[in-house]
Amino acid sequence: DTAVSQTPKYLVTQMGNDKSIKCEQNLGHDTMYWYKQDSKKFLKIMFSYNNKELIINETVPNRFSPKSPDKAHLNLHINSLELGDSAVYFCASSQVRVGGRADTQYFGPGTRLTVL
Amino acid sequence: DQQVKQNSPSLSVQEGRISILNCDYTNSMFDYFLWYKKYPAEGPTFLISISSIKDKNEDGRFTVFLNKSAKHLSLHIVPSQPGDSAVYFCAPWEDNLFFGTGTRLTVIP
């Protein structure tokens, strides 16, 4: 039973295309996240989302947009893909933060995106 | 501007010995610190955490030490086992997790 799953695991596409990465969690968590791990291995938050608010890292281009059809899913849509978007993207989930305290985040296996 | 630094990209330790992984940070607003472990082709998994009101937290073979004045924390694994071979990320919290670049630990049998 995979707690946080992502599809596809690998994605190779041409510049300019639009693509989506799906994420599902079966932990009953209220908050989901997208992270990007670039070629230098930096793992950076892109979005955090629960049913009340979407928090966007201001450095994320607006070509990236999260879509949440329900509490268990947070998909990542990327428009007009660029070479620099090549990275590994991780989805994660956690319980709603209580009093601002960090809650353990559970990560998916990652999606390696390659833009040619 | 990287707020979290793990200056040792790799570390090799003999099985049974102690592994010490270090992490330095610059943001004094961080008040909760997590360590994640990552195997190849998998997502990071939570390992251990420490609140800023403590200077030590222990969980089995894993102990995390926090020196707030020095903005430094370390993860001790003792005794190290081959299955501990992975990349370890330090991840302080302030509204979000801020990950370091990781240290690849190799435990030699």
Side-chain angles (χ1 to χ4, degrees), chain A residues 100-111:
Chain A
R101 166 56 60 84
D103 292 295
T104 301
Q105 294 183 15
Y106 294 83
F107 284 78
T111 296

Side-chain angles (χ1 to χ4, degrees), chain B residues 35-55:
Chain B
W35 282 92
Y36 278 81
K37 175 180 179 180
K38 184 181 181 304
Y39 292 115
E42 295 184 12
T45 55
F46 172 73
L47 186 60
I48 192 170
S49 63
I50 188 168
S51 166
S52 60
I53 62 174
K54 295 185 174 181
D55 55 16

Side-chain angles (χ1 to χ4, degrees), chain B residues 32-88:
Chain B
Y32 196 64
F33 303 85
L34 299 89
W35 282 92
Y36 278 81
K37 175 180 179 180
K38 184 181 181 304
Y39 292 115
E42 295 184 12
T45 55
F46 172 73
L47 186 60
I48 192 170
S49 63
I50 188 168
S51 166
S52 60
I53 62 174
K54 295 185 174 181
D55 55 16
K56 177 183 176 181
N57 188 28
E58 189 172 354
D59 183 3
R61 297 185 297 112
F62 302 91
T63 303
V64 56
F65 295 91
L66 175 62
N67 183 334
K68 281 202 71 177
S69 61
K71 295 191 179 66
H72 176 84
L73 66 158
S74 61
L75 173 68
H76 292 210
I77 307 173
V78 56
S80 301
Q81 299 174 354
D84 296 329
S85 297
V87 178
Y88 289 79

Side-chain angles (χ1 to χ4, degrees), chain A residues 68-88:
Chain A
S68 180
D70 55 58
K71 199 173 83 167
H73 296 83
L74 183 67
N75 303 324
L76 181 65
H77 295 264
I78 316 170
N79 294 326
S80 303
L81 277 156
E82 300 177 357
L83 293 176
D85 298 332
S86 296
V88 181

